[in-house]
Amino acid sequence: MRRVPHSTPAQFRTKILGGVDYNESFALSLNLYYVGKEDNDRIYFNQYSETHHRFEFGYGKTLLVPESQLRFNSKKFESTELLICHGDLITRLTFQREENQGEVEDATGCIININRVDLQFSQGRSLFNQRSEYKIVHLLHLKISSDRVVIESIDGFDDTSIKKPNRSFDRVQAKLKFQNPESEAQFLNHLRQEDNSEGKCVILGRIYEKKFAESFGE
């Protein structure tokens, strides 16, 4: 299978978006999701000279940006900490010329600025915020799958609506953290011994904040 090459910031601006103007906030008609940061090529394992950040805008279509060419709220990206996470949707971008680029239109480099107001948080990010900011303990809907206890969905509050306070988050790649394999086996046996033909139950759970932050939500 042939690997689809990633786009550079300049290629994304000119070839994918059709050459949008510099220094103007541009509304994206495609879905651009933040994937995460990487220090080497995930296919060929070549080491980058600096940290890169990968975005996805379709099946196999990615934008790879060196950290020095990224800004968040017009500040250096390395200082953003957890302001953007895996799965967050970016709705608008602003392209800026690099300081040494001048007026050369076909220059290879440009800077991409992302503003906080132009982000739509992923489900995982929303749950993390609820835990880190409001110390919410969520309801976890569990089920047995292939002799493992897995999370089917998580109940939280809907921060996008005032009419519907509760929301089911069912697109979160969350896993239960047991102290050891024996603990999981005991819990699995407990579920099977209950009068529960579907092998499902609901428990209270807390998001592992440190792990989420360290992995940028991956």
Side-chain angles (χ1 to χ4, degrees):
M1 181 179 293
R2 186 174 66 88
R3 184 192 180 203
V4 179
H6 64 259
S7 295
T8 65
Q11 290 170 340
F12 188 71
R13 172 185 168 268
T14 57
K15 296 182 179 180
I16 304 300
L17 301 182
V20 301
D21 293 333
Y22 286 109
N23 302 319
E24 291 188 11
S25 179
F26 179 78
L28 297 172
S29 59
L30 49 79
N31 291 329
L32 182 67
Y33 294 95
Y34 181 69
V35 176
K37 63 179 181 178
E38 52 192 67
D39 295 318
N40 54 64
D41 188 292
R42 296 184 177 182
I43 302 297
Y44 302 112
F45 304 105
N46 298 323
Q47 190 74 23
Y48 297 138
S49 59
E50 63 173 301
T51 298
H52 284 51
H53 295 263
R54 191 175 294 274
F55 301 79
E56 186 177 73
F57 56 95
Y59 183 74
K61 299 177 181 178
T62 62
L63 163 67
L64 189 63
V65 188
E67 193 164 82
S68 60
Q69 291 178 240
L70 269 179
R71 300 291 184 271
F72 192 89
N73 287 342
S74 299
K75 296 180 180 179
K76 290 185 177 181
F77 204 81
E78 61 188 13
S79 64
T80 63
E81 297 181 352
L82 197 66
L83 296 182
I84 185 169
C85 291
H86 174 81
D88 287 350
L89 174 68
I90 297 95
T91 61
R92 303 181 74 94
L93 292 176
T94 302
F95 291 90
Q96 302 168 347
R97 288 187 174 90
E98 290 188 300
E99 293 181 0
N100 59 351
Q101 184 174 329
E103 298 296 325
V104 181
E105 286 297 331
D106 60 351
T108 57
C110 65
I111 291 172
I112 293 178
N113 181 66
I114 301 169
N115 288 317
R116 164 65 181 80
V117 295
D118 299 324
L119 286 181
Q120 291 182 11
F121 287 161
S122 66
Q123 288 193 2
R125 174 64 181 279
S126 295
L127 291 171
F128 171 81
N129 283 356
Q130 292 174 22
R131 175 60 192 169
S132 61
E133 295 181 16
Y134 307 109
K135 304 305 176 186
I136 288 179
V137 178
H138 293 93
L139 285 175
L140 311 182
H141 292 260
L142 310 179
K143 69 175 182 178
I144 299 175
S145 177
S146 301
D147 291 329
R148 298 294 303 272
V149 182
V150 299
I151 299 174
E152 190 172 31
S153 63
I154 301 173
D155 287 350
F157 70 84
D158 191 349
D159 50 10
T160 64
S161 173
I162 59 175
K163 296 182 179 180
K164 185 181 178 183
N166 299 323
R167 176 184 175 187
S168 176
F169 295 81
D170 56 2
R171 297 196 307 274
V172 181
Q173 296 181 352
K175 298 180 181 179
L176 289 174
K177 185 178 186 299
F178 293 93
Q179 291 183 343
N180 50 58
E182 290 75 20
S183 297
E184 182 177 9
Q186 291 174 1
F187 187 71
L188 184 62
N189 290 333
H190 175 72
L191 284 181
R192 286 172 171 165
Q193 291 171 3
E194 293 288 326
D195 185 15
N196 184 359
S197 60
E198 294 183 348
K200 296 183 178 182
C201 74
V202 179
I203 65 171
L204 293 172
R206 294 176 296 180
I207 290 178
Y208 190 7
E209 297 175 61
K210 182 180 178 181
K211 179 68 174 179
F212 187 96
E214 289 176 346
S215 67
F216 280 72
E218 288 193 72

